[in-house]
Amino acid sequence: MYQRLRDLREDRDLTQQDIATLLKVSQATYSRYESGALDIPSSSLMKLAQFYKTSIDYLLGLTNNKRPYY
């Protein structure tokens, strides 16, 4: 479901643990976010969008435009 999260992470040569640390969750929790087994809290989506310099809409697959709205 969240292939873009994985792609963005791998494009930067980051591990799931790296992103889990950023979000202050366990690696297992972040893995479930990436697989779609667990919904990502809005606060985590905001952190990920800021970190990757993109929009939440892009992360969720609602747009193909990577540029943030600000």
Side-chain angles (χ1 to χ4, degrees), residues 31-67:
S31 176
R32 290 193 293 270
Y33 291 166
E34 270 192 13
S35 70
L38 186 62
D39 285 335
I40 304 172
S42 56
S43 60
S44 293
L45 282 171
M46 291 180 349
K47 283 183 186 178
L48 289 169
Q50 289 176 332
F51 179 77
Y52 290 125
K53 296 179 177 52
T54 192
S55 69
I56 292 173
D57 286 351
Y58 179 77
L59 295 177
L60 296 177
L62 299 174
T63 183
N64 289 325
N65 184 359
K66 285 186 177 182
R67 293 189 54 198

Side-chain angles (χ1 to χ4, degrees), residues 13-38:
D13 294 324
L14 297 170
T15 64
Q16 286 186 342
Q17 183 59 56
D18 294 330
I19 302 302
T21 300
L22 171 77
L23 298 178
K24 298 182 177 141
V25 298
S26 69
Q27 181 275 327
T29 296
Y30 182 74
S31 176
R32 290 193 293 270
Y33 291 166
E34 270 192 13
S35 70
L38 186 62

